[in-house]
Amino acid sequence: MAVITRGFGAHRAARNDRLPPGQTQVEDWPVLSAGATPDVDPAAWEFVVVPESGDPVRWNWDSFRALGLEDFTVDIHCVTHWSRLGTQWRGVPLDRVFEHVDTSYDYVMAHSYGGYTTNVPLNELLDGQAWIAFEADGAPLEAEHGGPARLVVPHLYFWKSAKWVRGLRMMPQDEPGFWEERGYNLHGDPWTEERYS
Amino acid sequence: MITHAAWHAATVSTVAAETRNARRITLDIADWPGNAAGQHVDVRLTAEDGYQASRSYSLASAGPSTSVELAVDKVASGEVSPFLVDELQVGDQLEVHGPLGGWFVWRPGDPSGRPVQLIAGGSGVVPMAAMVRAHRDAADPTPFRLLYAVRSPDDVFFVAELARETSDDEADAVRVDFVYSRKAPAGDDRPPGRLTMERLAELVFPESQHPRIFVCGATPFVEQVLTWLKELGHDVDDVRAERFGGA
């Protein structure tokens, strides 16, 4: 039973039904990261997937983008209660990446330049649900938003969408990443408010 | 160690003006497990018709007490902060989820002996205030400095607490330096102006002392400070930062 706060709610605006519970729509784009913003040169960027064989599958900037860029428009939801609706992106779907990876493992740990990690089940990265994005709002992704490349998994809270992503490591079972070890939910569905463990 | 976070019913026990634009709110939470300095909470307000809104706020208090303190800066276009600053009254109830966050945290007794540098912009000083208080309450010997960038003397949060640190000549007092961007106090030996790399270099522990650094403020402030710290030779991968607002 929720606690009612006397007098609250008198001046509120109509609520958009694309907003999950507890979220507020923003027009700007807040920045949240745990530490410094890494400076990653696209010429030096590489993307590496490590499956159970231990043989990494590698791409550089050009070969990765040649997997097939597509434009997508999605709503994004931050655990700190802001949502940004209709954000326009350009990136490579993870489906294209996993055409080149031989794995039977069900879980993925995303790794970033700067050391950040976050875990996601593989089946939530495939079938058009996730991308490695290079552009947002029609321009190259700014460093503070994860440029030159970030993971985008819009159906989960945005801490799962690792900035400055450099690769994926396959795992036989789910393990917590950086924020998940610090009290965030292992899964992170905004519609059921899976914020914290 | 992370204390398991949960929803708690909270009752407002005091409200007091913090600045002309901000308010200090004390909440009594009977089943609060205590919190570390630097942790935050989600505050949830529920209207009579069931409508809810939630926001995250840093805690200005730390320790085992079941009385916790927030200092809320009013965001003019906001929905929650104007209510908290202008309308919330003693005796009102709301819900608090927490304590949250195990990263932007300082705990007494760090065996590394590294000095601690706090760098705050505006209301980013709130979690730092919790750290300064925890440092004093524990009589912790870790050298502490706080660099507080703020618009004017009227915008300073925690005036009494910070004055107590600056007037204390004990070795374990926190050194507090203000950089005023718009208006300096009468008699201040520097004209107001934004923080520069040169001022930052003067006012933070040098890289040679290998300080632990916490930075909190609006995104452009934090990004600028991190860039300068890097240029000054600090290992910015080691810096803990909290940003708020848009890019």
mmCIF file of all heavy atoms in Angstrom, chain B residues 65-111:
data_model
loop_
_atom_site.group_PDB
_atom_site.id
_atom_site.type_symbol
_atom_site.label_atom_id
_atom_site.label_comp_id
_atom_site.label_asym_id
_atom_site.label_seq_id
_atom_site.Cartn_x
_atom_site.Cartn_y
_atom_site.Cartn_z
ATOM 1 N N SER B 65 22.015 6.581 12.168
ATOM 2 C CA SER B 65 20.790 7.252 12.609
ATOM 3 C C SER B 65 19.599 6.935 11.713
ATOM 4 O O SER B 65 19.744 6.792 10.491
ATOM 5 C CB SER B 65 21.017 8.767 12.625
ATOM 6 O OG SER B 65 19.797 9.431 12.902
ATOM 7 N N THR B 66 18.416 6.871 12.300
ATOM 8 C CA THR B 66 17.187 6.679 11.519
ATOM 9 C C THR B 66 16.573 8.023 11.121
ATOM 10 O O THR B 66 15.479 8.082 10.587
ATOM 11 C CB THR B 66 16.147 5.860 12.307
ATOM 12 O OG1 THR B 66 15.928 6.502 13.563
ATOM 13 C CG2 THR B 66 16.633 4.452 12.535
ATOM 14 N N SER B 67 17.299 9.088 11.393
ATOM 15 C CA SER B 67 16.911 10.416 10.913
ATOM 16 C C SER B 67 17.880 10.773 9.788
ATOM 17 O O SER B 67 19.087 10.835 10.009
ATOM 18 C CB SER B 67 17.031 11.413 12.079
ATOM 19 O OG SER B 67 16.774 12.712 11.630
ATOM 20 N N VAL B 68 17.370 10.922 8.562
ATOM 21 C CA VAL B 68 18.256 11.190 7.431
ATOM 22 C C VAL B 68 17.928 12.556 6.841
ATOM 23 O O VAL B 68 16.812 13.068 6.971
ATOM 24 C CB VAL B 68 18.178 10.108 6.332
ATOM 25 C CG1 VAL B 68 18.407 8.723 6.913
ATOM 26 C CG2 VAL B 68 16.865 10.171 5.576
ATOM 27 N N GLU B 69 18.939 13.125 6.177
ATOM 28 C CA GLU B 69 18.808 14.502 5.715
ATOM 29 C C GLU B 69 19.028 14.587 4.207
ATOM 30 O O GLU B 69 19.960 13.994 3.665
ATOM 31 C CB GLU B 69 19.870 15.327 6.436
ATOM 32 C CG GLU B 69 19.600 16.791 6.440
ATOM 33 C CD GLU B 69 20.624 17.497 7.328
ATOM 34 O OE1 GLU B 69 20.387 17.576 8.542
ATOM 35 O OE2 GLU B 69 21.643 17.937 6.800
ATOM 36 N N LEU B 70 18.163 15.372 3.552
ATOM 37 C CA LEU B 70 18.323 15.707 2.142
ATOM 38 C C LEU B 70 18.500 17.214 2.040
ATOM 39 O O LEU B 70 18.021 17.958 2.889
ATOM 40 C CB LEU B 70 17.074 15.337 1.327
ATOM 41 C CG LEU B 70 16.488 13.942 1.458
ATOM 42 C CD1 LEU B 70 15.210 13.856 0.614
ATOM 43 C CD2 LEU B 70 17.495 12.908 1.003
ATOM 44 N N ALA B 71 19.189 17.664 0.994
ATOM 45 C CA ALA B 71 19.210 19.094 0.673
ATOM 46 C C ALA B 71 18.836 19.196 -0.796
ATOM 47 O O ALA B 71 19.579 18.741 -1.668
ATOM 48 C CB ALA B 71 20.585 19.688 0.944
ATOM 49 N N VAL B 72 17.665 19.734 -1.054
ATOM 50 C CA VAL B 72 17.077 19.683 -2.394
ATOM 51 C C VAL B 72 17.125 21.062 -3.037
ATOM 52 O O VAL B 72 16.644 22.039 -2.464
ATOM 53 C CB VAL B 72 15.618 19.194 -2.323
ATOM 54 C CG1 VAL B 72 14.977 19.195 -3.702
ATOM 55 C CG2 VAL B 72 15.555 17.794 -1.709
ATOM 56 N N ASP B 73 17.735 21.120 -4.215
ATOM 57 C CA ASP B 73 17.808 22.347 -4.993
ATOM 58 C C ASP B 73 16.602 22.365 -5.930
ATOM 59 O O ASP B 73 16.292 21.361 -6.560
ATOM 60 C CB ASP B 73 19.117 22.328 -5.801
ATOM 61 C CG ASP B 73 19.567 23.706 -6.215
ATOM 62 O OD1 ASP B 73 19.155 24.693 -5.580
ATOM 63 O OD2 ASP B 73 20.346 23.795 -7.181
ATOM 64 N N LYS B 74 15.914 23.488 -6.023
ATOM 65 C CA LYS B 74 14.697 23.547 -6.830
ATOM 66 C C LYS B 74 15.032 23.692 -8.305
ATOM 67 O O LYS B 74 15.709 24.633 -8.707
ATOM 68 C CB LYS B 74 13.828 24.718 -6.362
ATOM 69 C CG LYS B 74 12.500 24.805 -7.109
ATOM 70 C CD LYS B 74 11.485 25.640 -6.371
ATOM 71 C CE LYS B 74 11.880 27.100 -6.295
ATOM 72 N NZ LYS B 74 10.826 27.893 -5.639
ATOM 73 N N VAL B 75 14.575 22.755 -9.114
ATOM 74 C CA VAL B 75 14.687 22.846 -10.567
ATOM 75 C C VAL B 75 13.379 23.483 -11.041
ATOM 76 O O VAL B 75 12.312 22.896 -10.879
ATOM 77 C CB VAL B 75 14.875 21.455 -11.198
ATOM 78 C CG1 VAL B 75 14.949 21.544 -12.714
ATOM 79 C CG2 VAL B 75 16.112 20.771 -10.623
ATOM 80 N N ALA B 76 13.484 24.693 -11.598
ATOM 81 C CA ALA B 76 12.283 25.487 -11.847
ATOM 82 C C ALA B 76 11.241 24.734 -12.674
ATOM 83 O O ALA B 76 10.055 24.782 -12.388
ATOM 84 C CB ALA B 76 12.664 26.789 -12.535
ATOM 85 N N SER B 77 11.695 24.003 -13.696
ATOM 86 C CA SER B 77 10.755 23.325 -14.581
ATOM 87 C C SER B 77 10.369 21.947 -14.043
ATOM 88 O O SER B 77 9.641 21.213 -14.689
ATOM 89 C CB SER B 77 11.395 23.167 -15.961
ATOM 90 O OG SER B 77 12.591 22.415 -15.843
ATOM 91 N N GLY B 78 10.857 21.610 -12.884
ATOM 92 C CA GLY B 78 10.660 20.256 -12.372
ATOM 93 C C GLY B 78 9.278 20.028 -11.803
ATOM 94 O O GLY B 78 8.466 20.942 -11.637
ATOM 95 N N GLU B 79 9.011 18.779 -11.472
ATOM 96 C CA GLU B 79 7.728 18.394 -10.903
ATOM 97 C C GLU B 79 7.880 18.041 -9.424
ATOM 98 O O GLU B 79 7.005 18.353 -8.616
ATOM 99 C CB GLU B 79 7.198 17.176 -11.666
ATOM 100 C CG GLU B 79 5.901 16.642 -11.120
ATOM 101 C CD GLU B 79 5.512 15.331 -11.764
ATOM 102 O OE1 GLU B 79 6.376 14.652 -12.321
ATOM 103 O OE2 GLU B 79 4.317 15.001 -11.686
ATOM 104 N N VAL B 80 8.982 17.423 -9.074
ATOM 105 C CA VAL B 80 9.168 16.939 -7.715
ATOM 106 C C VAL B 80 9.890 17.965 -6.849
ATOM 107 O O VAL B 80 9.446 18.268 -5.731
ATOM 108 C CB VAL B 80 9.915 15.583 -7.711
ATOM 109 C CG1 VAL B 80 10.293 15.169 -6.304
ATOM 110 C CG2 VAL B 80 9.035 14.512 -8.368
ATOM 111 N N SER B 81 11.004 18.533 -7.348
ATOM 112 C CA SER B 81 11.781 19.421 -6.478
ATOM 113 C C SER B 81 10.999 20.674 -6.062
ATOM 114 O O SER B 81 11.102 21.078 -4.897
ATOM 115 C CB SER B 81 13.135 19.771 -7.090
ATOM 116 O OG SER B 81 13.003 20.519 -8.266
ATOM 117 N N PRO B 82 10.197 21.323 -6.930
ATOM 118 C CA PRO B 82 9.411 22.470 -6.429
ATOM 119 C C PRO B 82 8.431 22.064 -5.327
ATOM 120 O O PRO B 82 8.204 22.819 -4.384
ATOM 121 C CB PRO B 82 8.667 22.975 -7.677
ATOM 122 C CG PRO B 82 9.503 22.521 -8.812
ATOM 123 C CD PRO B 82 10.055 21.180 -8.377
ATOM 124 N N PHE B 83 7.878 20.861 -5.434
ATOM 125 C CA PHE B 83 6.982 20.392 -4.365
ATOM 126 C C PHE B 83 7.760 20.218 -3.068
ATOM 127 O O PHE B 83 7.322 20.668 -1.998
ATOM 128 C CB PHE B 83 6.296 19.079 -4.772
ATOM 129 C CG PHE B 83 5.389 18.540 -3.703
ATOM 130 C CD1 PHE B 83 4.094 19.032 -3.569
ATOM 131 C CD2 PHE B 83 5.838 17.601 -2.794
ATOM 132 C CE1 PHE B 83 3.257 18.578 -2.557
ATOM 133 C CE2 PHE B 83 5.015 17.136 -1.777
ATOM 134 C CZ PHE B 83 3.719 17.629 -1.663
ATOM 135 N N LEU B 84 8.923 19.557 -3.162
ATOM 136 C CA LEU B 84 9.710 19.310 -1.947
ATOM 137 C C LEU B 84 10.180 20.622 -1.318
ATOM 138 O O LEU B 84 10.220 20.764 -0.102
ATOM 139 C CB LEU B 84 10.919 18.425 -2.266
ATOM 140 C CG LEU B 84 10.607 16.990 -2.716
ATOM 141 C CD1 LEU B 84 11.905 16.260 -3.061
ATOM 142 C CD2 LEU B 84 9.845 16.218 -1.646
ATOM 143 N N VAL B 85 10.550 21.601 -2.157
ATOM 144 C CA VAL B 85 11.124 22.845 -1.636
ATOM 145 C C VAL B 85 10.036 23.803 -1.151
ATOM 146 O O VAL B 85 10.201 24.472 -0.135
ATOM 147 C CB VAL B 85 12.019 23.507 -2.711
ATOM 148 C CG1 VAL B 85 12.467 24.898 -2.268
ATOM 149 C CG2 VAL B 85 13.242 22.631 -2.995
ATOM 150 N N ASP B 86 8.907 23.851 -1.855
ATOM 151 C CA ASP B 86 7.905 24.881 -1.552
ATOM 152 C C ASP B 86 6.693 24.376 -0.763
ATOM 153 O O ASP B 86 6.023 25.157 -0.105
ATOM 154 C CB ASP B 86 7.382 25.506 -2.846
ATOM 155 C CG ASP B 86 8.478 26.229 -3.614
ATOM 156 O OD1 ASP B 86 9.436 26.691 -2.967
ATOM 157 O OD2 ASP B 86 8.382 26.317 -4.856
ATOM 158 N N GLU B 87 6.361 23.099 -0.882
ATOM 159 C CA GLU B 87 5.061 22.666 -0.359
ATOM 160 C C GLU B 87 5.120 21.630 0.752
ATOM 161 O O GLU B 87 4.218 21.555 1.580
ATOM 162 C CB GLU B 87 4.202 22.132 -1.514
ATOM 163 C CG GLU B 87 3.911 23.228 -2.552
ATOM 164 C CD GLU B 87 3.008 22.744 -3.671
ATOM 165 O OE1 GLU B 87 1.985 22.111 -3.363
ATOM 166 O OE2 GLU B 87 3.346 22.997 -4.847
ATOM 167 N N LEU B 88 6.153 20.811 0.762
ATOM 168 C CA LEU B 88 6.238 19.754 1.763
ATOM 169 C C LEU B 88 6.293 20.356 3.171
ATOM 170 O O LEU B 88 6.998 21.345 3.403
ATOM 171 C CB LEU B 88 7.493 18.916 1.501
ATOM 172 C CG LEU B 88 7.596 17.585 2.240
ATOM 173 C CD1 LEU B 88 6.618 16.567 1.655
ATOM 174 C CD2 LEU B 88 9.021 17.043 2.134
ATOM 175 N N GLN B 89 5.552 19.745 4.112
ATOM 176 C CA GLN B 89 5.493 20.262 5.483
ATOM 177 C C GLN B 89 5.874 19.190 6.492
ATOM 178 O O GLN B 89 5.770 18.003 6.213
ATOM 179 C CB GLN B 89 4.060 20.729 5.813
ATOM 180 C CG GLN B 89 3.582 21.885 4.981
ATOM 181 C CD GLN B 89 2.109 22.191 5.231
ATOM 182 O OE1 GLN B 89 1.507 21.676 6.181
ATOM 183 N NE2 GLN B 89 1.531 23.025 4.392
ATOM 184 N N VAL B 90 6.244 19.642 7.661
ATOM 185 C CA VAL B 90 6.527 18.726 8.768
ATOM 186 C C VAL B 90 5.303 17.842 9.010
ATOM 187 O O VAL B 90 4.171 18.343 9.017
ATOM 188 C CB VAL B 90 6.884 19.518 10.045
ATOM 189 C CG1 VAL B 90 6.956 18.593 11.268
ATOM 190 C CG2 VAL B 90 8.221 20.232 9.854
ATOM 191 N N GLY B 91 5.526 16.565 9.161
ATOM 192 C CA GLY B 91 4.434 15.618 9.392
ATOM 193 C C GLY B 91 3.977 14.913 8.125
ATOM 194 O O GLY B 91 3.308 13.877 8.209
ATOM 195 N N ASP B 92 4.323 15.463 6.960
ATOM 196 C CA ASP B 92 3.955 14.795 5.709
ATOM 197 C C ASP B 92 4.714 13.479 5.566
ATOM 198 O O ASP B 92 5.815 13.326 6.096
ATOM 199 C CB ASP B 92 4.290 15.689 4.505
ATOM 200 C CG ASP B 92 3.310 16.848 4.356
ATOM 201 O OD1 ASP B 92 2.267 16.829 5.036
ATOM 202 O OD2 ASP B 92 3.595 17.764 3.558
ATOM 203 N N GLN B 93 4.098 12.573 4.789
ATOM 204 C CA GLN B 93 4.739 11.279 4.568
ATOM 205 C C GLN B 93 5.095 11.085 3.105
ATOM 206 O O GLN B 93 4.403 11.573 2.205
ATOM 207 C CB GLN B 93 3.797 10.166 5.007
ATOM 208 C CG GLN B 93 3.638 10.107 6.526
ATOM 209 C CD GLN B 93 3.225 8.729 6.966
ATOM 210 O OE1 GLN B 93 2.157 8.268 6.595
ATOM 211 N NE2 GLN B 93 4.068 8.069 7.753
ATOM 212 N N LEU B 94 6.167 10.369 2.892
ATOM 213 C CA LEU B 94 6.561 9.975 1.542
ATOM 214 C C LEU B 94 7.317 8.654 1.655
ATOM 215 O O LEU B 94 7.441 8.109 2.742
ATOM 216 C CB LEU B 94 7.396 11.067 0.872
ATOM 217 C CG LEU B 94 8.547 11.695 1.664
ATOM 218 C CD1 LEU B 94 9.755 10.791 1.667
ATOM 219 C CD2 LEU B 94 8.906 13.051 1.077
ATOM 220 N N GLU B 95 7.781 8.154 0.512
ATOM 221 C CA GLU B 95 8.517 6.886 0.540
ATOM 222 C C GLU B 95 9.941 7.098 0.048
ATOM 223 O O GLU B 95 10.203 7.919 -0.837
ATOM 224 C CB GLU B 95 7.817 5.858 -0.349
ATOM 225 C CG GLU B 95 6.528 5.352 0.268
ATOM 226 C CD GLU B 95 5.780 4.471 -0.707
ATOM 227 O OE1 GLU B 95 5.300 4.989 -1.731
ATOM 228 O OE2 GLU B 95 5.680 3.261 -0.441
ATOM 229 N N VAL B 96 10.834 6.328 0.637
ATOM 230 C CA VAL B 96 12.258 6.420 0.325
ATOM 231 C C VAL B 96 12.761 5.015 0.022
ATOM 232 O O VAL B 96 12.496 4.083 0.779
ATOM 233 C CB VAL B 96 13.022 7.017 1.531
ATOM 234 C CG1 VAL B 96 14.523 6.807 1.382
ATOM 235 C CG2 VAL B 96 12.691 8.493 1.690
ATOM 236 N N HIS B 97 13.487 4.868 -1.098
ATOM 237 C CA HIS B 97 14.111 3.596 -1.425
ATOM 238 C C HIS B 97 15.613 3.732 -1.272
ATOM 239 O O HIS B 97 16.217 4.622 -1.862
ATOM 240 C CB HIS B 97 13.771 3.195 -2.863
ATOM 241 C CG HIS B 97 14.138 1.785 -3.190
ATOM 242 N ND1 HIS B 97 14.828 1.437 -4.311
ATOM 243 C CD2 HIS B 97 13.922 0.643 -2.518
ATOM 244 C CE1 HIS B 97 15.015 0.121 -4.327
ATOM 245 N NE2 HIS B 97 14.473 -0.385 -3.252
ATOM 246 N N GLY B 98 16.175 2.864 -0.457
ATOM 247 C CA GLY B 98 17.608 2.961 -0.275
ATOM 248 C C GLY B 98 18.058 2.239 0.967
ATOM 249 O O GLY B 98 17.275 1.512 1.570
ATOM 250 N N PRO B 99 19.310 2.454 1.385
ATOM 251 C CA PRO B 99 20.296 3.324 0.737
ATOM 252 C C PRO B 99 20.823 2.717 -0.557
ATOM 253 O O PRO B 99 20.937 1.504 -0.658
ATOM 254 C CB PRO B 99 21.407 3.422 1.790
ATOM 255 C CG PRO B 99 21.298 2.143 2.575
ATOM 256 C CD PRO B 99 19.835 1.794 2.596
ATOM 257 N N LEU B 100 21.128 3.564 -1.529
ATOM 258 C CA LEU B 100 21.532 3.125 -2.857
ATOM 259 C C LEU B 100 22.950 3.594 -3.175
ATOM 260 O O LEU B 100 23.367 4.673 -2.771
ATOM 261 C CB LEU B 100 20.584 3.707 -3.905
ATOM 262 C CG LEU B 100 19.108 3.330 -3.738
ATOM 263 C CD1 LEU B 100 18.248 4.157 -4.668
ATOM 264 C CD2 LEU B 100 18.912 1.851 -4.006
ATOM 265 N N GLY B 101 23.648 2.780 -3.961
ATOM 266 C CA GLY B 101 24.955 3.175 -4.476
ATOM 267 C C GLY B 101 26.087 2.743 -3.566
ATOM 268 O O GLY B 101 26.087 3.052 -2.380
ATOM 269 N N GLY B 102 27.039 2.020 -4.133
ATOM 270 C CA GLY B 102 28.190 1.582 -3.360
ATOM 271 C C GLY B 102 29.486 2.071 -3.977
ATOM 272 O O GLY B 102 30.564 1.615 -3.627
ATOM 273 N N TRP B 103 29.388 3.032 -4.863
ATOM 274 C CA TRP B 103 30.532 3.465 -5.664
ATOM 275 C C TRP B 103 31.014 4.844 -5.237
ATOM 276 O O TRP B 103 32.196 5.040 -4.927
ATOM 277 C CB TRP B 103 30.129 3.463 -7.141
ATOM 278 C CG TRP B 103 31.147 4.015 -8.068
ATOM 279 C CD1 TRP B 103 31.070 5.160 -8.801
ATOM 280 C CD2 TRP B 103 32.416 3.435 -8.408
ATOM 281 N NE1 TRP B 103 32.203 5.339 -9.542
ATOM 282 C CE2 TRP B 103 33.042 4.293 -9.320
ATOM 283 C CE3 TRP B 103 33.084 2.265 -7.993
ATOM 284 C CZ2 TRP B 103 34.303 4.033 -9.853
ATOM 285 C CZ3 TRP B 103 34.333 2.018 -8.525
ATOM 286 C CH2 TRP B 103 34.928 2.889 -9.439
ATOM 287 N N PHE B 104 30.117 5.798 -5.210
ATOM 288 C CA PHE B 104 30.468 7.176 -4.851
ATOM 289 C C PHE B 104 30.343 7.294 -3.333
ATOM 290 O O PHE B 104 29.465 7.964 -2.809
ATOM 291 C CB PHE B 104 29.539 8.148 -5.577
ATOM 292 C CG PHE B 104 30.046 9.555 -5.609
ATOM 293 C CD1 PHE B 104 30.923 9.963 -6.599
ATOM 294 C CD2 PHE B 104 29.665 10.478 -4.647
ATOM 295 C CE1 PHE B 104 31.407 11.250 -6.640
ATOM 296 C CE2 PHE B 104 30.148 11.775 -4.677
ATOM 297 C CZ PHE B 104 31.015 12.165 -5.680
ATOM 298 N N VAL B 105 31.231 6.582 -2.650
ATOM 299 C CA VAL B 105 31.086 6.404 -1.210
ATOM 300 C C VAL B 105 32.431 6.561 -0.541
ATOM 301 O O VAL B 105 33.447 6.110 -1.060
ATOM 302 C CB VAL B 105 30.514 4.988 -0.930
ATOM 303 C CG1 VAL B 105 30.803 4.548 0.483
ATOM 304 C CG2 VAL B 105 29.012 4.955 -1.191
ATOM 305 N N TRP B 106 32.458 7.246 0.605
ATOM 306 C CA TRP B 106 33.667 7.289 1.431
ATOM 307 C C TRP B 106 33.344 6.690 2.790
ATOM 308 O O TRP B 106 32.330 7.002 3.390
ATOM 309 C CB TRP B 106 34.171 8.718 1.606
ATOM 310 C CG TRP B 106 35.407 8.746 2.468
ATOM 311 C CD1 TRP B 106 36.684 8.474 2.071
ATOM 312 C CD2 TRP B 106 35.478 9.026 3.877
ATOM 313 N NE1 TRP B 106 37.539 8.553 3.138
ATOM 314 C CE2 TRP B 106 36.848 8.887 4.253
ATOM 315 C CE3 TRP B 106 34.537 9.351 4.846
ATOM 316 C CZ2 TRP B 106 37.272 9.084 5.574
ATOM 317 C CZ3 TRP B 106 34.959 9.547 6.155
ATOM 318 C CH2 TRP B 106 36.324 9.420 6.506
ATOM 319 N N ARG B 107 34.242 5.816 3.245
ATOM 320 C CA ARG B 107 34.093 5.228 4.580
ATOM 321 C C ARG B 107 35.340 5.527 5.388
ATOM 322 O O ARG B 107 36.446 5.452 4.862
ATOM 323 C CB ARG B 107 33.903 3.709 4.487
ATOM 324 C CG ARG B 107 32.550 3.297 3.925
ATOM 325 C CD ARG B 107 32.379 1.777 3.956
ATOM 326 N NE ARG B 107 31.024 1.391 3.621
ATOM 327 C CZ ARG B 107 30.572 1.259 2.391
ATOM 328 N NH1 ARG B 107 31.376 1.476 1.367
ATOM 329 N NH2 ARG B 107 29.317 0.910 2.162
ATOM 330 N N PRO B 108 35.183 5.854 6.684
ATOM 331 C CA PRO B 108 36.360 6.102 7.523
ATOM 332 C C PRO B 108 37.244 4.860 7.603
ATOM 333 O O PRO B 108 36.779 3.749 7.370
ATOM 334 C CB PRO B 108 35.748 6.416 8.899
ATOM 335 C CG PRO B 108 34.324 6.740 8.649
ATOM 336 C CD PRO B 108 33.926 5.986 7.418
ATOM 337 N N GLY B 109 38.505 5.085 7.926
ATOM 338 C CA GLY B 109 39.389 3.966 8.194
ATOM 339 C C GLY B 109 40.064 3.375 6.979
ATOM 340 O O GLY B 109 40.513 2.234 6.999
ATOM 341 N N ASP B 110 40.146 4.143 5.883
ATOM 342 C CA ASP B 110 40.819 3.658 4.678
ATOM 343 C C ASP B 110 42.303 3.414 4.993
ATOM 344 O O ASP B 110 43.033 4.345 5.311
ATOM 345 C CB ASP B 110 40.663 4.710 3.575
ATOM 346 C CG ASP B 110 41.402 4.321 2.303
ATOM 347 O OD1 ASP B 110 41.955 3.212 2.254
ATOM 348 O OD2 ASP B 110 41.414 5.136 1.361
ATOM 349 N N PRO B 111 42.757 2.147 4.918
ATOM 350 C CA PRO B 111 44.146 1.851 5.297
ATOM 351 C C PRO B 111 45.167 2.357 4.276
ATOM 352 O O PRO B 111 46.357 2.367 4.576
ATOM 353 C CB PRO B 111 44.159 0.319 5.370
ATOM 354 C CG PRO B 111 43.063 -0.117 4.471
ATOM 355 C CD PRO B 111 42.012 0.966 4.490
#
